[in-house]
Amino acid sequence: MNTSLSHLPVSKQNDIRRITDIIVKKIAPEKVILFGSYATGKWVEDRYSEGHITYEYISDYDILVITRQGERRKDYEVQDIVINTFRPKTPINIIANDIDFVNKDLERNRYFFSDIRKEGIMLYDAGNIPLAEPRELTPQEKKEMAQEDFDHWYHKGYALLKSAKRNFDDNEYNLADFELHQSAEAIYNAVMLVFTGYKPKTHNIEMLYHYNKNHSKELAMVFPQNTPEEKHYFEQLKRGYIDARYNKDFVVTKEELEIITARLAQLHTIAEKICKEKIAEFG
């Protein structure tokens, strides 16, 4: 596996080395691997203005932290350890799995990990256990796997969106907000699985948003979060998972739900288009 960061600007190399040092000191992992756009040299930093608003689309540092045998860490736990110590201008997206989980998926050739093994950059290796050799999937196997995942998660998301609209019409706004959150989670899962064959262990749609933003700029800009107002709408959707169900003081308004529902409809349309295009690429 490649170990060089020389294709990146010095500032990016320094960021990634600092992140790696923190993970090694605080977590003592088996391996740390850079994957995604910064590993392949296809990262994006795009800023543009429309009227008085400046929009920003920046690729994340995608980092796989492979923990030692039997040591399970939550993605957000490792990410919090890093950002509480160092918060670079570039967003950080961390996925954590133990070495046995990664190697089992490599042996089954879940292509998320096989692509990382092929294209990723090894930032740290404790040298105890090597990565397994993946079994090569045929294009047809990849296509069938992606289609099955898409059918399950996309249609689940669509059913939840329809249910949210019914609850909205019945003035059950908090329940509608919860179902909109669940619909967004299902759609992000569908995209992640079609593009990578992997579904993260989280219900946090902010993390799912970051996992998916590199697959489609158009998808990411459904909830751009470039203004306080945009951030508020996404926060109301995010709070649908816990607060809308359990916090008696939580309030989401009719007007907010109308905007969030329209965004979810956009999310569905874009996800369907990009997933079908990706599935077609498998042959």
Side-chain angles (χ1 to χ4, degrees):
M1 181 177 283
N2 185 17
T3 59
S4 174
L5 297 172
S6 61
H7 63 291
L8 296 176
V10 172
S11 61
K12 301 290 186 184
Q13 295 183 43
N14 291 339
D15 282 352
I16 292 166
R17 289 192 180 103
R18 177 84 186 278
I19 293 165
T20 305
D21 286 345
I22 294 167
I23 293 168
V24 171
K25 289 175 182 175
K26 303 279 188 176
I27 303 294
E30 182 62 41
K31 305 179 195 300
V32 181
I33 302 173
L34 178 71
F35 68 97
S37 58
Y38 283 97
T40 61
K42 297 176 182 177
W43 77 92
V44 175
E45 291 189 349
D46 188 13
R47 296 176 180 86
Y48 62 95
S49 297
E50 288 183 4
H52 65 287
I53 300 174
T54 298
Y55 292 92
E56 185 174 73
Y57 178 85
I58 300 176
S59 298
D60 295 1
Y61 292 137
D62 295 309
I63 295 175
L64 172 63
V65 176
I66 302 178
T67 55
R68 300 184 184 230
Q69 280 184 312
E71 183 180 2
R72 291 172 174 80
R73 297 268 190 163
K74 301 289 188 183
D75 300 344
Y76 68 82
E77 177 188 354
V78 181
Q79 185 144 325
D80 286 350
I81 287 170
V82 173
I83 64 176
N84 286 338
T85 307
F86 174 55
R87 193 186 291 266
K89 293 180 180 178
T90 301
I92 304 169
N93 171 37
I94 291 176
I95 290 174
N97 287 286
D98 69 273
I99 185 66
D100 289 340
F101 179 92
V102 172
N103 276 343
K104 283 180 182 177
D105 268 20
L106 277 170
E107 288 163 0
R108 290 181 296 181
N109 204 1
R110 294 296 291 188
Y111 51 93
F112 176 73
F113 290 115
S114 60
D115 284 351
I116 290 176
R117 195 184 192 287
K118 181 168 58 179
E119 299 176 348
I121 296 173
M122 186 70 75
L123 302 172
Y124 171 80
D125 188 353
N128 298 310
I129 301 175
L131 291 174
E133 290 289 339
R135 178 181 71 84
E136 189 61 36
L137 291 179
T138 68
Q140 186 61 30
E141 285 176 316
K142 286 187 177 183
K143 186 172 186 176
E144 288 173 359
M145 187 185 299
Q147 187 68 59
E148 182 180 333
D149 288 332
F150 173 76
D151 289 343
H152 174 79
W153 289 101
Y154 181 83
H155 291 298
K156 181 178 180 180
Y158 183 71
L160 284 160
L161 179 59
K162 287 198 300 183
S163 183
K165 289 177 178 177
R166 288 194 295 269
N167 279 305
F168 174 83
D169 291 339
D170 291 340
N171 299 322
E172 295 285 352
Y173 293 159
N174 282 17
L175 183 55
D177 195 32
F178 167 66
E179 289 182 323
L180 288 171
H181 175 283
Q182 293 293 278
S183 179
E185 180 182 330
I187 292 302
Y188 284 135
N189 282 338
V191 174
M192 188 80 177
L193 282 161
V194 167
F195 277 76
T196 71
Y198 177 78
K199 185 177 79 66
K201 310 178 295 294
T202 184
H203 298 288
N204 186 327
I205 58 168
E206 186 168 7
M207 294 187 74
L208 290 170
Y209 165 86
H210 282 285
Y211 289 144
N212 279 285
K213 64 186 285 190
N214 290 336
H215 303 315
S216 166
K217 180 179 177 181
E218 188 180 9
L219 191 78
M221 295 310 290
V222 173
F223 290 102
Q225 303 180 64
N226 289 292
T227 67
E229 184 180 30
E230 293 288 354
K231 290 177 181 178
H232 173 73
Y233 293 134
F234 192 74
E235 185 64 23
Q236 287 294 81
L237 176 63
K238 182 179 169 184
R239 293 180 68 191
Y241 184 61
I242 298 294
D243 290 347
R245 290 186 291 167
Y246 304 122
N247 184 350
K248 62 183 176 63
D249 297 320
F250 175 73
V251 175
V252 60
T253 68
K254 177 181 179 181
E255 292 73 20
E256 288 170 334
L257 280 177
E258 287 174 336
I259 291 169
I260 294 168
T261 302
R263 298 289 177 86
L264 258 292
Q266 276 184 279
L267 196 75
H268 278 247
T269 299
I270 294 166
E272 182 178 24
K273 178 175 78 71
I274 64 174
C275 285
K276 286 183 175 179
E277 289 172 350
K278 184 66 177 178
I279 291 169
E281 290 178 9
F282 292 129

